[in-house]
Amino acid sequence: MIIEQAEVVVTSPDRNFVTLRLTTEDGLVGLGDATLNGRELAVVAYLREHVVPLLIGRDAHRIEDTWQFLYRSAYWRRGPVTMAAIAAVDVALWDLKAQAAGMPLYQLLGGASRTGLLAYGHASGRDLPELFDSIRDHLDQGYQAIRVQTGVPGLTAIYGIASNSTGVRYDHEPAQRGARPAEEDWDTRAYLRHLPAVFDAVRNEFGPELPLLHDAHHRLTPIQAARLGKALEPYDLFWLEDATPAENQQALRLVRQHTTTPLAIGEIFNTIWDYQELIREQLIDYVRSAVTHTGGITHLRKILDFAAQYQIKSGIHGPTDISPVGMAAALHLGLAIHNFGIQEYMKHGTRTNQVFHQTFTFTDGHLHPGDHPGLGVTLNTDHAGTYPYEQAYLPYNRLTDGTIHDW
Ligand code: EZ4
Ligand code: CO
């Protein structure tokens, strides 16, 4: 199964996506997602200039060998750009191998360990009435687990709210098109005062059973995160995500000592080394890495197998900046592993769904990758070509005194 052609397709239907498309001599087409939100073209250049020339003529069956070759022969290891590029190659090779075998990819990964994947969606509102409407809307769509984000009094534009006070709706996700990143404001004390009351109100309205999640998006110090985890204990969160900035694994030890609120982290990690202490010392409960940003199925599987030894489960990142290709890869992996926890799922827009034809399903709050050979996603290159790349940036934060803060 020799790789004859490797193309990097950039398209921007509802937002920018980078897709690697491998074609074999036998005419099979495999897809891999290489989308790195806000830094897309860096991965495009890495792939086009440095990886594509190495792929032509290789045996597409040699997935582990190709992974090790790309990782070790670069000499410069890790990092989001490198690992997204390797991920795209890895997923495209798994797609090809499963198509060649005539099986859905999850079969090659060991077969189904469950009938469907519990998914959570993103409810949000500037205030409680808006938030309650959003939760009800998600329940109507069938979601059985819900992430809750709200506005904070005194702050005008903060992470996770589908519309801000200027009435401008995010295009499904936080990156915004334009030549400069949007500035948002942040005040940790105001947030810490406000959030427990929000969860109190949500539990009163929707009862004790609904799994609720929350994303603190890297903004807290360890002691602030510990306090928040403790304050939220009465509301029985499924998880508190990214409580502290991710680089310092030690921070989680302090948080852990103070709270029984389950902790999830890792959407911006890119290798198993970022998790080494967190997993071995059981400082977290859920691994947030995406297939797309963590070296593909081959590497994320190793992280999740390591995590399984410590009863730590998957919580694979699934915002709209993961393309339908990256999402399908997550679903095949999630269906196969034993230590599946939950899958994040924000729906893509109609333009995206025209560019990427998908066969995965969402029924009664559960995702299933479908039973088509391979990933089950095809790329309509004609449609893709009608949506050229548009510059977009993730926002950034300033405190009230003007200091840049973690976003
Ligand atoms: O901010 O994917 O849990 N989900 C998240 C996302 C991230 C974006 C960044 O590109 O934190 O919304
Ligand atoms: Co997050």
Side-chain angles (χ1 to χ4, degrees):
M1 195 163 67
I2 300 300
I3 300 169
E4 191 176 72
Q5 217 187 338
E7 301 149 274
V8 183
V9 179
V10 183
T11 182
S12 193
D14 299 295
R15 56 162 331 289
N16 295 314
F17 293 112
V18 178
T19 310
L20 179 68
R21 187 172 182 270
L22 301 182
T23 310
T24 67
E25 283 179 358
D26 299 335
L28 292 180
V29 175
L31 300 177
D33 178 23
T35 307
L36 186 63
N37 205 2
R39 293 293 184 272
E40 295 88 356
L41 299 187
V43 191
V44 172
Y46 192 104
L47 282 168
R48 277 193 186 143
E49 307 298 327
H50 305 293
V51 174
V52 161
L54 304 178
L55 296 177
I56 309 302
R58 282 186 75 85
D59 179 1
H61 274 308
R62 298 186 64 184
I63 298 177
E64 179 73 27
D65 183 70
T66 301
W67 196 98
Q68 300 295 342
F69 169 63
L70 293 176
Y71 185 77
R72 291 173 202 282
S73 70
Y75 185 64
W76 311 106
R77 295 184 183 188
R78 307 166 64 184
V81 175
T82 300
M83 298 309 285
I86 294 177
V89 176
D90 185 77
V91 170
L93 293 181
W94 278 110
D95 188 15
L96 287 170
K97 190 187 279 292
Q99 287 180 50
M103 290 180 184
L105 175 53
Y106 71 81
Q107 294 290 10
L108 296 193
L109 300 175
S113 287
R114 56 195 52 78
T115 53
L117 305 177
L118 177 66
Y120 74 91
H122 288 197
S124 71
R126 287 169 292 184
D127 50 24
L128 285 180
E130 248 186 41
L131 173 64
F132 286 7
D133 284 350
S134 176
I135 294 174
R136 281 189 202 102
D137 176 54
H138 281 78
L139 294 173
D140 289 346
Q141 293 176 48
Y143 280 104
Q144 295 180 12
I146 294 183
R147 192 185 86 161
V148 168
Q149 307 290 137
T150 61
V152 173
L155 298 181
T156 51
I158 66 170
Y159 169 78
I161 312 304
S163 59
N164 62 29
S165 56
T166 62
V168 179
R169 282 194 74 83
Y170 283 141
D171 195 11
H172 291 281
E173 56 93 59
Q176 291 170 61
R177 288 171 171 165
R180 307 273 306 161
E183 185 177 300
E184 298 188 343
D185 52 351
W186 186 249
D187 177 344
T188 302
R189 293 191 69 228
Y191 165 79
L192 291 176
R193 276 197 306 275
H194 184 64
L195 199 66
V198 170
F199 275 90
D200 192 55
V202 171
R203 277 290 177 224
N204 282 334
E205 182 73 14
F206 295 95
E209 282 178 32
L210 180 65
L212 298 175
L213 303 85
H214 179 72
D215 192 344
H217 225 260
H218 326 277
R219 287 157 195 215
L220 311 179
T221 64
I223 204 71
Q224 289 168 337
R227 177 176 153 206
L228 181 63
K230 246 170 134 164
L232 294 177
E233 278 171 22
Y235 312 112
D236 188 25
L237 265 62
F238 187 95
W239 77 36
L240 173 62
E241 174 183 349
D242 286 335
T244 56
E247 297 94 325
N248 178 15
Q249 297 187 33
Q250 299 295 325
L252 274 291
R253 195 192 321 280
L254 188 143
V255 181
R256 197 65 154 174
Q257 280 163 356
H258 287 282
T259 181
T260 57
T261 293
L263 302 174
I265 208 159
E267 70 186 36
I268 67 167
F269 292 0
N270 45 71
T271 70
I272 198 166
W273 304 104
D274 299 319
Y275 285 101
Q276 197 177 23
E277 290 171 65
L278 296 180
I279 291 177
R280 205 182 48 218
E281 298 181 30
Q282 304 182 64
L283 303 181
I284 58 169
D285 300 280
Y286 295 94
V287 165
R288 288 287 289 142
S289 280
V291 173
T292 305
H293 301 137
T294 322
I297 287 171
T298 296
H299 194 66
L300 183 52
R301 173 101 204 215
K302 289 175 185 178
I303 297 173
L304 292 172
D305 285 346
F306 175 34
Q309 312 311 310
Y310 301 91
Q311 295 172 284
I312 297 168
K313 295 185 177 183
S314 72
I316 299 180
H317 196 208
T320 46
D321 44 289
I322 302 297
S323 88
V325 174
M327 181 59 64
L331 301 186
H332 285 281
L333 182 58
L335 198 69
I337 57 173
H338 177 250
N339 58 328
F340 171 79
I342 199 166
Q343 173 64 51
E344 184 178 26
Y345 178 49
M346 292 169 76
K347 294 176 180 174
H348 285 112
T350 44
R351 286 188 292 264
T352 299
N353 294 337
Q354 283 168 353
V355 170
F356 296 94
H357 181 255
Q358 304 148 49
T359 55
F360 57 81
T361 55
F362 179 61
T363 317
D364 297 330
H366 288 69
L367 290 154
H368 191 285
D371 282 302
H372 287 253
L375 283 172
V377 181
T378 52
L379 175 68
N380 183 324
T381 44
D382 292 339
H383 274 300
T386 62
Y387 300 111
Y389 169 79
E390 287 186 47
Q391 189 147 42
Y393 283 102
L394 286 164
Y396 70 106
N397 265 334
R398 283 189 195 276
L399 306 179
T400 41
D401 71 354
T403 307
I404 298 254
H405 190 68
D406 301 289
W407 181 81

